Amino acid sequence: MSFRVALAVLALALGPAVALSQNAEIAFGALSHDKTLPVEVTAERLSVDQSDGTAIFTGEVLVGQGDMRLSADEVLVVYAGEGSASRRIARMEASGQVVLALGAEAAEADRAVYTIDSGSIVMTGNVLLTQGQSAISGERLVVDLDRGTGSMEGRVRTVLQPGGAQ
């Protein structure tokens, strides 16, 4: 049984113990993340467009930066400045079965945009965040890697554990 199905079954069984809201502030990234570390990408294919300064990685893409890992079906890398001559990554846009992991925390979504300079990751579409035994879902997760915080939006759903039941 998939984790999403198990979470849905648990949420339905608990009924009123499930919290629903439009927004939720959360802690994310117990480990500090250094956005200046090199970014390593592994994929089945790479297409580069020098005219617009982009590179598209497809097929079982795995992106690593320090302790952070991101996997997806496709990742578009956009370089800063005119063309790709600067070789400085401005942002990475992941799509298709996106999974982000940092330490013991993991999030999955349909899409994600990692803006390197601001240290922010915006995940959208069927977002599920797991932190240890806890899980929270919504439509949009904004993670600030510099501060280690996040915000979940759009029909936020989580299961709250009563005190002492851990």
Side-chain angles (χ1 to χ4, degrees), residues 9-106:
V9 169
L10 181 61
L12 290 173
L14 292 177
V18 175
L20 295 173
S21 71
Q22 291 300 317
N23 296 315
E25 295 294 320
I26 52 177
F28 187 86
L31 301 174
S32 60
H33 178 71
D34 184 354
K35 63 188 178 198
T36 64
L37 292 172
V39 175
E40 181 179 331
V41 182
T42 304
E44 297 296 322
R45 289 171 295 289
L46 167 63
S47 299
V48 177
D49 187 336
Q50 297 290 344
S51 66
D52 67 0
T54 62
I56 299 175
F57 293 89
T58 55
E60 299 180 24
V61 183
L62 178 60
V63 177
Q65 185 181 39
D67 293 326
M68 185 178 72
R69 297 289 176 265
L70 184 137
S71 64
D73 294 336
E74 179 178 290
V75 174
L76 168 70
V77 177
V78 179
Y79 292 93
E82 294 292 320
S84 61
S86 72
R87 305 306 304 164
R88 187 176 66 79
I89 299 171
R91 71 182 182 281
M92 303 179 86
E93 301 175 6
S95 60
Q97 302 182 62
V98 178
V99 177
L100 170 69
L102 182 58
E105 299 168 332

Side-chain angles (χ1 to χ4, degrees), residues 96-139:
Q97 302 182 62
V98 178
V99 177
L100 170 69
L102 182 58
E105 299 168 332
E108 58 184 73
D110 296 334
R111 293 167 302 285
V113 176
Y114 175 25
T115 306
I116 308 290
D117 288 343
S118 67
S120 72
I121 298 175
V122 178
M123 301 183 79
T124 57
N126 301 306
V127 181
L128 176 63
L129 171 65
T130 57
Q131 297 177 303
Q133 297 296 318
S134 300
I136 185 169
S137 65
E139 284 303 309

